[in-house]
Amino acid sequence: KQVVQSEVFEYAGASFYMADMGETAPILGAYHRPDVNGLSHHNAYSDDWARVNREAIKEAGRDGDSFFIVKAGYGRTPKYAGTTCLGDYVTNLKKRKDGGLQSVLN
C-alpha cells in the first residue's frame, strides 16, 4: 500500500493506474501462514491484490478521485477493482503478424 501511495499518488501525481502483476501467486513465495502456499493461494491472490490496491486508495484519502484496473481476477475482485482489462489483444479473427484473437484461441 505504501508503494502505491508514495509512487503513484505522491511521486507521479496520478489518479489512474494499472495494478498489473496480480495474475499469479508466487509459487515459491514466503507466506505468513504455514497452511498457505502459491498453489493453494493461486486464485485468491488476485482478489487480495485488488483489495490491497483499493485499501491504498482509501487510506490515502483518494477514494472517489482515483481509479485502477487489473488484468486478472477471481470471485471478489469486482468488489475492489474499478474494472478488468482483457489484455493487449487485437479482437478480430483476421490473420495478422501481431497475433490478433487467433493468438489467444490457439
Side-chain angles (χ1 to χ4, degrees), residues 6 23 26 32 36 39 41 49 51-52 54 56-57 59 65 69 74 78 87-90 92 95 98 100:
S6 66
E23 288 91 359
H32 293 285
V36 173
L39 293 176
H41 194 62
W49 182 243
R51 179 184 48 77
V52 164
R54 173 61 54 208
I57 289 172
E59 291 173 13
D65 79 337
I69 61 175
Y74 192 56
D88 304 324
Y89 304 109
V90 177
N92 63 47
K95 289 189 176 189
D98 59 359

Side-chain angles (χ1 to χ4, degrees), residues 4-83:
V4 170
Q5 292 165 351
S6 66
E7 298 298 319
V8 175
F9 300 141
E10 294 171 17
Y11 179 74
S15 57
F16 167 80
Y17 64 100
M18 182 171 190
D20 208 351
M21 308 310 289
E23 288 91 359
T24 180
I27 299 298
L28 300 176
Y31 293 87
H32 293 285
R33 291 179 21 208
D35 61 325
V36 173
N37 61 47
L39 293 176
S40 68
H41 194 62
H42 174 76
N43 290 334
Y45 183 76
S46 56
D47 285 343
D48 289 343
W49 182 243
R51 179 184 48 77
V52 164
N53 281 274
R54 173 61 54 208
E55 289 173 0
I57 289 172
K58 188 173 183 176
E59 291 173 13
R62 300 290 301 263
D63 220 5
D65 79 337
S66 295
F67 182 77
F68 71 97
I69 61 175
V70 295
K71 283 179 69 173
Y74 192 56
R76 294 183 321 250
T77 301
K79 176 180 177 180
Y80 304 113
T83 190

